[in-house]
Amino acid sequence: MKTSRLTRETAKIGKNAEVVTKRTTRSFAASINGFAAADAQAFAVKQEDESDDDSSSLSSLGSPGPFDIEDAPSMIAATPEKRKRGIPIPTTAVTEASSIKLETRTSPRKAGINGSPAKIKKGRKQPAKKVVDHDSGEVTIHPPANWEEIYSLVQEMRKKVLAPVDTMGCESLAEDTRSPRDRRFQTLIALMLSSQTKDTTTALAISNLQTSLPSPPGFTLEGILAVPAPTLNTLIHPVGFHNNKTKYIKATALLLASHHNSDIPTTIEGLMSLPGVGPKMAYLCMSAAWGRDEGIGVDVHVHRITNLWGWHKTNGPEETRKCLEAWLPRERWHEINHLLVGFGQTICLPIGRKCGECVLAERGLCPGAVVKKGATVKRKRVKMEKGEEEAEAVMIVKEEGV
């Protein structure tokens, strides 16, 4: 058979490759396959009889089909020196390795309500508006356009998570076995201790008073009057500013006994006249102890969260109270404090707000939502088994940043 110079040189390379015992490189096997394929296309090889020389054995290298570097040595060694006309060329089955999927994991902290990553959208501020009638000069306050939707969504979120205020709020700490007068007094003392103090700590201090004061009279007005100031200071020691609060409580007990018939005052002015009692405590005490909603008890949570929502722009709790009372329905005055305090304890925290778990941020209703600025990518090398072989892949773990 007539063969070209290129075919003869390729045949020599093939014979040398038969004795190679080490792993054939991908580039070398590819070059063999390429030479044979090019030669088969460039030249027409005339078929001869069975007694032709051995150089025809390399014609099998040009056969089309999938090629894998693992099969290159066996393909060359298994090719016979001579073959008969009409006998098919033996082929080796090649299985391509399936691609290894790269898994992406979102930080649990940024997971949404339903487990999927929440898409945080920054809302637009829609504050309450003051409208003045030019004819009569009457001023009307129009509430924020979306306040009812926000309020109802927060109520739904609060039902799913129990907050400290739900079980240890000041209005729930008084002993049920006491008289109404003693329960009102305990509620007042709990509110005085709650200033600059967490609900859990306040509950601990109230429990100390209920269990450690000599009984009778126990934790009552008479019991506080009888206990020495150093002992009282020790019992309420966990709360913030306990030294000042000891003085306030002792002075309040004296005023109640001498000016208010041993009961707490029935007016906001009377409550605010007591040492250490401000507007927030007075309105909350009036609502919890006497059942009268004469104002909104605005603490740091209510002030902070309503400003984040863009309902107003105020500088302090008292200014916030006046703004809210101008348009919020009166039937909401009592519950809004409990609602937003619990929301601020569980989701809208003072530090590290969980916007990824908040429905308001997901729906674009909160102008104060923290929108992610980027993602930090961590590369971690792992081994994943595939059949009997181990394939090495790089798993990319993305943690959404805020």
Short mmCIF file of all heavy atoms in Angstrom, two decimals, residues 66-68 70-71 74-76 78 89-95:
data_model
loop_
_atom_site.label_atom_id
_atom_site.label_comp_id
_atom_site.label_asym_id
_atom_site.label_seq_id
_atom_site.Cartn_x
_atom_site.Cartn_y
_atom_site.Cartn_z
N PRO A 66 -15.47 9.54 20.83
CA PRO A 66 -15.01 10.22 22.03
C PRO A 66 -13.65 9.73 22.46
O PRO A 66 -13.33 8.54 22.33
CB PRO A 66 -16.10 9.87 23.07
CG PRO A 66 -16.70 8.60 22.56
CD PRO A 66 -16.64 8.71 21.08
N PHE A 67 -12.85 10.60 23.01
CA PHE A 67 -11.49 10.25 23.39
C PHE A 67 -11.25 10.66 24.83
O PHE A 67 -11.63 11.74 25.25
CB PHE A 67 -10.50 10.98 22.47
CG PHE A 67 -9.07 10.72 22.84
CD1 PHE A 67 -8.45 9.54 22.46
CD2 PHE A 67 -8.36 11.66 23.57
CE1 PHE A 67 -7.12 9.31 22.81
CE2 PHE A 67 -7.05 11.42 23.91
CZ PHE A 67 -6.41 10.25 23.52
N ASP A 68 -10.64 9.76 25.59
CA ASP A 68 -10.31 10.06 26.97
C ASP A 68 -8.85 9.72 27.19
O ASP A 68 -8.36 8.68 26.71
CB ASP A 68 -11.19 9.25 27.92
CG ASP A 68 -11.07 9.78 29.34
OD1 ASP A 68 -10.00 9.63 29.92
OD2 ASP A 68 -12.07 10.33 29.83
N GLU A 70 -7.38 8.56 29.71
CA GLU A 70 -7.18 7.32 30.43
C GLU A 70 -7.13 6.12 29.48
O GLU A 70 -6.55 5.10 29.79
CB GLU A 70 -8.31 7.10 31.44
CG GLU A 70 -8.42 8.19 32.50
CD GLU A 70 -7.21 8.17 33.42
OE1 GLU A 70 -6.56 7.12 33.49
OE2 GLU A 70 -6.95 9.19 34.06
N ASP A 71 -7.76 6.22 28.30
CA ASP A 71 -7.83 5.10 27.37
C ASP A 71 -6.75 5.15 26.29
O ASP A 71 -6.67 4.25 25.46
CB ASP A 71 -9.19 5.07 26.68
CG ASP A 71 -10.31 4.93 27.70
OD1 ASP A 71 -10.16 4.10 28.60
OD2 ASP A 71 -11.33 5.64 27.56
N SER A 74 -4.20 2.02 26.19
CA SER A 74 -4.86 0.77 25.83
C SER A 74 -5.34 0.78 24.39
O SER A 74 -5.35 -0.25 23.71
CB SER A 74 -6.04 0.51 26.77
OG SER A 74 -6.96 1.56 26.66
N MET A 75 -5.74 1.93 23.88
CA MET A 75 -6.19 2.02 22.49
C MET A 75 -5.05 1.73 21.54
O MET A 75 -5.20 1.04 20.53
CB MET A 75 -6.78 3.40 22.21
CG MET A 75 -8.13 3.66 22.87
SD MET A 75 -8.66 5.35 22.68
CE MET A 75 -8.74 5.45 20.90
N ILE A 76 -3.86 2.22 21.85
CA ILE A 76 -2.71 2.03 20.96
C ILE A 76 -2.21 0.58 21.05
O ILE A 76 -1.95 -0.07 20.06
CB ILE A 76 -1.59 3.01 21.32
CG1 ILE A 76 -2.10 4.44 21.13
CG2 ILE A 76 -0.35 2.76 20.51
CD1 ILE A 76 -1.14 5.48 21.62
N ALA A 78 -3.83 -2.13 21.98
CA ALA A 78 -4.79 -3.14 21.58
C ALA A 78 -4.97 -3.22 20.07
O ALA A 78 -5.60 -4.12 19.55
CB ALA A 78 -6.14 -2.87 22.24
N ILE A 89 -13.23 -2.17 13.48
CA ILE A 89 -12.15 -1.79 14.38
C ILE A 89 -12.65 -1.84 15.81
O ILE A 89 -13.70 -1.29 16.13
CB ILE A 89 -11.66 -0.37 14.06
CG1 ILE A 89 -11.16 -0.33 12.61
CG2 ILE A 89 -10.58 0.08 15.02
CD1 ILE A 89 -10.80 1.06 12.15
N PRO A 90 -11.93 -2.52 16.71
CA PRO A 90 -12.39 -2.55 18.11
C PRO A 90 -12.28 -1.16 18.74
O PRO A 90 -11.31 -0.45 18.54
CB PRO A 90 -11.40 -3.53 18.78
CG PRO A 90 -10.19 -3.52 17.91
CD PRO A 90 -10.69 -3.30 16.51
N THR A 91 -13.31 -0.83 19.45
CA THR A 91 -13.33 0.49 20.09
C THR A 91 -13.48 0.31 21.59
O THR A 91 -14.00 -0.69 22.07
CB THR A 91 -14.51 1.34 19.59
OG1 THR A 91 -15.72 0.62 19.82
CG2 THR A 91 -14.38 1.64 18.10
N THR A 92 -13.01 1.27 22.31
CA THR A 92 -13.07 1.25 23.78
C THR A 92 -14.10 2.25 24.24
O THR A 92 -14.06 3.41 23.83
CB THR A 92 -11.70 1.61 24.39
OG1 THR A 92 -10.73 0.71 23.87
CG2 THR A 92 -11.76 1.51 25.91
N ALA A 93 -15.06 1.79 25.08
CA ALA A 93 -16.11 2.70 25.57
C ALA A 93 -15.51 3.72 26.52
O ALA A 93 -14.74 3.38 27.41
CB ALA A 93 -17.20 1.89 26.28
N VAL A 94 -15.87 4.94 26.31
CA VAL A 94 -15.35 6.04 27.13
C VAL A 94 -16.52 6.71 27.83
O VAL A 94 -17.49 7.09 27.18
CB VAL A 94 -14.59 7.06 26.26
CG1 VAL A 94 -14.09 8.20 27.14
CG2 VAL A 94 -13.45 6.38 25.55
N THR A 95 -16.45 6.81 29.12
CA THR A 95 -17.50 7.47 29.90
C THR A 95 -16.97 8.80 30.41
O THR A 95 -15.92 8.85 31.04
CB THR A 95 -17.92 6.60 31.10
OG1 THR A 95 -18.34 5.34 30.62
CG2 THR A 95 -19.06 7.26 31.86
#
